Amino acid sequence: MRRLPRGFGRCLKTTAACLCVGAAYNIYFLWFLQAENRADLLYLDFLLLIFSGIWLAGVYRKLKRREGEIAELLERAGEIGDVLGEYENRDVARHDVDLWKGKLEKQYEQYCDLMDYITKWCHEVKLPLSAGFLACERISDTDVRQIMREQLERINQQVNGALVGCKAQGNLYDLKIGRQNLLDCVRASIRNNRFFLIQNHFTVDIQVPEDCIVYTDKQWLVYVLDQLVSNAVKYVSAEREPLLLVTAEQKDRELLLCVEDHGEGILSRDIRRVFDQGYTGSGNRSGKYKSTGMGLYLAARIAEKLEHAIEVESEYGAYTRFTICFHDNREYFFGEGL
């Protein structure tokens, strides 16, 4: 059944009310006045029906056209209230919008205060953490020192992740896009994760040319690489020799950086959701791994802000390969060209 335009029902009610009045007039004219010349009355009724039909058809077309315009505007991004001009209950809608804006601004201020507190806490905890590293080196027992160092490294990773996560969750990114040596970025990430790479006996194979230049923000890119490397460490396979392979390949006007490991791999039902916020996969639900589901989500979000594409392919039980695509984004850098 075809839906009537919004507001047309009121027009039908108004028309029905007018017809009722007309019918009452006809009954009064014919019954009580006993009028003999009924042709004029019938002619008048016919004209009223014709004009009512024309009026209803015009209103229907106008309302239908209005609904089509609103449907097109709803597909746009941004506010459309001012584009529509004057409409019914405009003041009520404006009042409610202002009311919700005030509530959202208050919530946003509280959110910013919380993010500031967490960021400050992360910076403050760095001092006792550094002291813990120094104290750990003085432990004479090698096994105890190794266990303590591992836990301190994990705490350090979590603190750094929380600090970057606070920045990444906000709308304002401190981006400094410029010419960066890709090999330096890769080496910085390897240094950040060297303790766990050594502990798990990883073979690290870096095949990135020394003169490979990309336009990016080094700090944020290194964080993305840290997530990929730590993922390789977390899902290392006990059946194969741990391997971390990092390669770079020029393809047309794009540069592809691949980070590959020969770990557990990703199940086919999980691979399309690895970048979703909070998604931890089947391994986490079975209790085999502990994951928050935020690392790859933040990595994908940061890559998007940097105008880099990130993709993943994997074969369960064989390998996982993350690919970062660096587009030619020199327009974001107001310095010398390539």
Side-chain angles (χ1 to χ4, degrees):
M1 185 176 179
R2 195 172 184 180
R3 188 181 65 85
L4 294 175
R6 184 178 300 176
F8 191 69
R10 290 194 297 271
C11 296
L12 289 177
K13 291 179 181 179
T14 302
T15 304
C18 293
L19 290 177
C20 290
V21 173
Y25 175 75
N26 276 266
I27 293 172
Y28 174 78
F29 189 82
L30 295 175
W31 183 263
F32 292 100
L33 298 182
Q34 301 293 326
E36 298 181 357
N37 192 1
R38 301 180 179 182
D40 293 339
L41 180 62
L42 294 175
Y43 180 69
L44 178 61
D45 291 341
F46 176 75
L47 290 178
L48 289 175
L49 288 173
I50 292 295
F51 287 134
S52 298
I54 294 174
W55 178 73
L56 283 175
V59 171
Y60 181 87
R61 288 187 59 188
K62 181 179 179 181
L63 292 176
K64 202 67 179 176
R65 186 171 60 251
R66 180 77 165 180
E67 277 195 350
E69 293 174 353
I70 293 175
E72 292 180 1
L73 290 172
L74 287 173
E75 295 179 356
R76 300 182 183 179
E79 297 182 2
I80 62 174
D82 294 333
V83 180
L84 291 174
E86 293 296 330
Y87 53 89
E88 188 177 5
N89 295 327
R90 178 184 176 93
D91 295 336
V92 176
R94 179 68 65 183
H95 169 270
D96 290 347
V97 168
D98 292 339
L99 180 65
W100 281 107
K101 278 185 177 180
K103 292 182 178 180
L104 288 175
E105 288 175 358
K106 185 177 180 179
Q107 290 292 326
Y108 182 72
E109 290 177 359
Q110 294 176 353
Y111 166 81
C112 290
D113 291 341
L114 177 60
M115 290 298 101
D116 290 341
Y117 171 77
I118 296 176
T119 302
K120 182 180 179 181
W121 181 89
C122 290
H123 284 294
E124 293 292 336
V125 83
K126 285 283 189 178
L127 185 60
L129 187 59
S130 299
F133 276 112
L134 293 175
C136 180
E137 295 300 323
R138 297 181 180 180
I139 298 177
S140 57
D141 191 314
T142 306
D143 294 336
V144 175
R145 183 170 64 248
Q146 184 73 4
I147 294 173
M148 288 296 298
R149 177 67 184 274
E150 179 181 354
Q151 299 308 315
L152 289 172
E153 289 286 353
R154 293 187 184 279
I155 294 173
N156 189 43
Q157 276 191 342
Q158 294 299 322
V159 171
N160 289 333
L163 187 59
V164 175
C166 288
K167 296 180 181 178
Q169 291 289 359
N171 293 324
L172 298 178
Y173 281 71
D174 184 20
L175 294 179
K176 297 178 181 178
I177 304 295
R179 286 171 58 96
Q180 301 294 340
N181 186 289
L182 186 57
L183 182 58
D184 290 343
C185 297
V186 172
R187 286 172 174 170
S189 179
I190 297 299
R191 284 195 301 271
N192 292 343
N193 295 274
R194 63 184 180 274
F195 176 83
F196 295 105
L197 290 171
I198 295 172
Q199 186 186 46
N200 289 274
H201 309 290
F202 263 81
T203 298
V204 179
D205 185 4
I206 302 176
Q207 300 178 15
V208 179
E210 293 188 1
D211 59 346
C212 193
I213 301 298
V214 294
Y215 283 79
T216 187
D217 184 299
K218 183 176 181 179
Q219 177 188 1
W220 288 108
L221 177 60
V222 170
Y223 176 79
V224 173
L225 294 174
D226 283 347
Q227 298 307 309
L228 306 184
V229 174
S230 64
N231 236 46
V233 173
K234 181 185 299 182
Y235 301 108
V236 63
S237 174
E239 301 175 358
R240 289 177 300 279
E241 181 181 352
L243 171 66
L244 181 67
L245 176 62
V246 184
T247 61
E249 176 189 2
Q250 187 71 41
K251 187 176 181 181
D252 298 329
R253 292 178 63 86
E254 297 177 340
L255 181 69
L256 304 180
L257 178 68
C258 298
V259 180
E260 179 179 334
D261 66 79
H262 292 175
E264 291 285 348
I266 304 172
L267 293 170
S268 57
R269 64 174 178 265
D270 292 336
I271 195 167
R272 62 186 180 86
R273 299 186 59 189
V274 295
F275 296 118
D276 291 353
Q277 182 177 7
Y279 188 71
T280 56
S282 304
N284 190 77
R285 289 192 294 273
S286 66
K288 188 175 182 180
Y289 304 109
K290 298 297 181 182
S291 177
T292 62
M294 293 298 294
L296 292 180
Y297 162 73
L298 290 175
R301 182 167 180 176
I302 292 170
E304 180 183 1
K305 290 291 183 180
L306 293 172
E307 298 292 330
H308 307 328
I310 183 169
E311 300 175 351
V312 60
E313 57 180 302
S314 179
E315 180 180 339
Y316 186 70
Y319 73 93
T320 300
R321 182 185 301 117
F322 289 92
T323 302
I324 302 176
C325 179
F326 297 89
H327 303 291
D328 187 7
N329 59 348
R330 282 174 288 184
E331 63 269 21
Y332 294 95
F333 177 63
F334 301 97
E336 56 181 12
L338 284 173

